[in-house]
Every structure is written in structure tokens, then in C-alpha cells.
Amino acid sequence: MSVYDVNGCSYSYGFIIEEEELPMVNLTGQDVCEGQSNGILSLTQMGPGTYSYSIDAINYQSDPNFNGLPEGSYTIYIENINGCSTTENFALQTIPSPMVVINTDDACIGINNGEAQFASIENGLEYSLDGLLFSATPNIENLDARTYTLYVQGVDGCVHTYPFEIIEAAELDVTFTDPLIDCSMSNVMLEPEVISAAGNATFTWSDGSSDSTLPINTEGIYNVQVEDNCSVSYYEWNIDFIETEIGTFFAPNIFSPNGDGINDEFRPVYKDPTQISKYSLEVFDRWGSLVYHSDDLDQGWDGKYATKAGRAGVFVWMIRAEGDFCNDVEVFELVGDVTIVR
């Protein structure tokens, strides 16, 4: 290079211009968890001097890390203290959320015994309910009834969230009905009806059977235990079948209407008067004359006829009656004799 002064004298100088190396860096990235903006681009300075970095070519920073980035392609601008610059390109990808299946068991009313089980085809997953303490155990117990957020962390470091709900179990509600037994029945079916239950209700009968119903053909006491996942209900039946045995009339063969209060009237009796719907008693003397008639089973003959005391001797009686026995009508026609003694 030549330099001239004011007098026209010239001077020659020599110099060397050296080429400065461009900034050298190593760029790495951490991909983005699905649904989040948590990607990271990190630069490691490989050359001498002081570098500054920008993601938009406008705003520069000395920190070589860019955090909180969404998925996308980026250009990083690197400049040294002398203004020399270069660029690096990097694409951040989305790390998909793992598919997690959540199954739950209801919590009993007022009890923290709900449970959630987790299943996934992904390996190395860990689970948490607070996002802080993670465990590889794929279930969480002792949960009360409410909505939860499950945090799932993969081997890539991503933490994904999944809502689930523990439902309050239904209260065990069983209707026990006493069977209506009439005189025509010799067997019944005991049938508890489960209105609601926590899970599937089970039955344990007094004979050891476990069906939901129990056929009965023998009188006695029977009980059942109905149990669901949370509680137990008991019930007891006392089964008594109605017997409808047809009876007979009993008529004394002698009486003494003397007013002493002992055996003073002739009155046929039946063991269960409520079964008799129609009744007629007629008494005849030895000549066949009617001396007494009554349609009242509770009324007896005092030995009088025509308002006078009957003579001692033998009289013939006839009973005509109808009885209702389990909706069947039984007709009685009975004849016998009775002796009056005085």
C-alpha cells in the first residue's frame, strides 16, 4: 500500500489480510411432546471467540439454548464478536402420546377403595397422580369417588395427561317379597329382586345354593345373603303351607236336658266352623215327625218340641251341610240317632 504526504512524498507499507473462520457450533434438539410447546434447541460453541444467537435474525442472545418451542422447522443465526455469522437449520418433531387404556373399579359409598388400572403397548411408562412422584406400577388403589388426572411419563421424558373418573358405587338395594300362599299351593319360589348393586350381586341361601332364586316345597325357615362389592343384605322367610283337610261332624248320642247345666242340649260340632258355608239340622221322633230344625251351627236342640219337654227316648237326626275347602265345595249328608234321658 502507498501513502503520500502533502509534499508529494510517497511511502510504501505492506500488510496481510487473513480470512477469519465462520462461527462453528454443534446444534442438537429435543422434540416436542404432543399437545405441548416444550421443544428445545441447544447449541454448543466449537470455535474461539464470543458468539451470540438468534432464532429470528433480529433478537440475539448469549444463551445458546432456545426453550418452549412448538413443532416446526427452525433456522438459528450465529454471529461472533467481529460480525461474522452463519446459520444452522433444525426441525423439531412431535412425540406422539402413548395409547393408554384406563379401567376403573367404583368406590363404595363413603370408602376410599376405588382403583384404576392402566395398560399400554408402550414400554417403560411410569404413572403419577400429582405429576411429581412416578411409579412403573400400572395401578393405583384406595381412591375416592371423583375426577382425576393421570400423568404418564415415557422413556423420552414426555409427560402426558389423561383424565379419568372413579364413580361412587351404587347402593345395594334388594326387594324381598313374602310369597302369597293359598290353600292350593304346595310349593313356592323365593325370588329376591336386585334393584341396584355395586358390581354383580351374589346369592348364598341357607341350603348352600347360589342361584338367584330358591324353589321351596317344604315348610320351614329359609334365609338368603345377597352380597355385592360393597355390602351385604340378609332376609329370612318362614314358609308355612296352608293345610285344608276335610273334617267330620261330631254328634253326641245321648244328652239329658234337665237344666243342670251339664249335657243339656244336643248340638253337633265341626272342628273348623269357618269352613261350613251352609248348614241344616233336623231331628225326628220315632214316627218320623219333625220335632226340631235349625240352620245355625252354633245353636243346639234343648230336647223340647212344640214348646214342651220331649219325652225320653231315641230320636233320629239328619245333617245337610256344605263346606268350602280350597275353592272346592264338599257336601255333607249325615244321619244318626240321639237318646234323651231324664
Side-chain angles (χ1 to χ4, degrees):
M1 182 180 65
S2 297
V3 178
Y4 296 88
D5 63 12
V6 293
N7 297 318
C9 295
S10 65
Y11 306 90
S12 295
Y13 299 91
F15 63 90
I16 299 173
I17 296 178
E18 295 180 352
E19 184 178 27
E20 184 174 351
E21 292 183 357
L22 293 176
M24 296 175 60
V25 297
N26 181 39
L27 175 58
T28 59
Q30 178 177 303
D31 286 333
V32 181
C33 299
E34 183 178 347
Q36 305 177 41
S37 293
N38 64 343
I40 300 174
L41 290 175
S42 299
L43 299 103
T44 302
Q45 182 175 331
M46 307 299 291
T50 302
Y51 294 175
S52 58
Y53 310 90
S54 175
I55 203 169
D56 58 9
I58 298 175
N59 302 297
Y60 282 82
Q61 63 185 46
S62 59
D63 186 354
N65 300 301
F66 294 90
N67 302 315
L69 301 177
E71 175 190 12
S73 297
Y74 293 89
T75 298
I76 306 298
Y77 301 87
I78 308 103
E79 187 176 281
N80 64 16
I81 196 171
N82 295 319
C84 293
S85 64
T86 187
T87 60
E88 294 284 343
N89 297 313
F90 199 96
L92 292 177
Q93 307 295 327
T94 294
I95 301 173
S97 301
M99 181 180 292
V100 177
V101 177
I102 303 175
N103 296 310
T104 61
D105 294 331
D106 297 346
C108 299
I109 298 173
I111 303 176
N112 297 344
N113 65 343
E115 183 175 347
Q117 304 94 27
F118 321 118
S120 177
I121 60 174
E122 301 285 341
N123 295 320
L125 298 183
E126 293 188 336
Y127 307 93
S128 172
L129 285 185
D130 59 11
L132 300 174
L133 300 175
F134 286 85
S135 169
T137 303
N139 68 291
I140 299 177
E141 301 176 338
N142 303 321
L143 302 176
D144 60 339
R146 61 185 176 91
T147 300
Y148 293 86
T149 296
L150 175 67
Y151 297 86
V152 179
Q153 181 172 269
V155 293
D156 49 33
C158 285
V159 176
H160 307 273
T161 58
Y162 303 80
F164 71 92
E165 182 180 10
I166 297 295
I167 298 174
E168 185 173 75
E171 183 176 5
L172 180 59
D173 183 8
V174 185
T175 298
F176 300 98
T177 303
D178 292 327
L180 297 177
I181 300 176
D182 61 34
C183 59
S184 66
M185 300 173 65
S186 60
N187 57 77
V188 295
M189 184 72 74
L190 303 182
E191 302 177 279
E193 180 183 3
V194 178
I195 307 302
S196 62
N200 295 323
T202 61
F203 300 80
T204 304
W205 294 90
S206 49
D207 67 350
S209 63
S210 58
D211 293 334
S212 60
T213 60
L214 184 68
I216 299 298
N217 56 20
T218 304
E219 293 183 344
I221 295 177
Y222 299 87
N223 57 68
V224 66
Q225 171 183 300
V226 182
E227 184 174 3
D228 65 4
N229 295 340
C230 294
S231 57
V232 179
S233 184
Y234 299 90
Y235 196 76
E236 183 175 275
W237 291 267
N238 187 356
I239 301 301
D240 187 10
F241 293 109
I242 299 174
E243 296 183 4
T244 55
E245 180 182 356
I246 299 175
T248 59
F249 282 89
F250 169 75
N253 59 9
I254 189 170
F255 74 110
S256 56
N258 55 14
D260 63 358
I262 300 174
N263 209 20
D264 279 337
E265 68 175 9
F266 168 72
R267 183 171 68 87
V269 296
Y270 187 81
K271 69 170 186 175
D272 185 0
T274 61
Q275 294 179 328
I276 302 302
S277 55
K278 292 182 180 180
Y279 174 77
S280 172
L281 171 63
E282 294 177 326
V283 180
F284 303 89
D285 62 16
R286 65 172 61 182
W287 295 281
S289 298
L290 179 67
V291 297
Y292 178 75
H293 173 263
S294 175
D295 295 326
D296 187 351
L297 186 62
D298 293 326
Q299 182 176 338
W301 179 40
D302 60 2
K304 295 180 180 179
Y305 51 93
T307 70
K308 296 181 180 179
R311 61 172 180 78
V314 178
F315 295 80
V316 176
W317 55 263
M318 178 179 293
I319 293 176
R320 296 183 179 89
E322 291 183 3
D324 185 3
F325 300 94
C326 195
N327 301 321
D328 289 331
V329 175
E330 180 76 12
V331 177
F332 299 88
E333 291 187 353
L334 306 173
V335 177
D337 60 74
V338 61
T339 301
I340 293 179
V341 295
R342 295 191 179 275

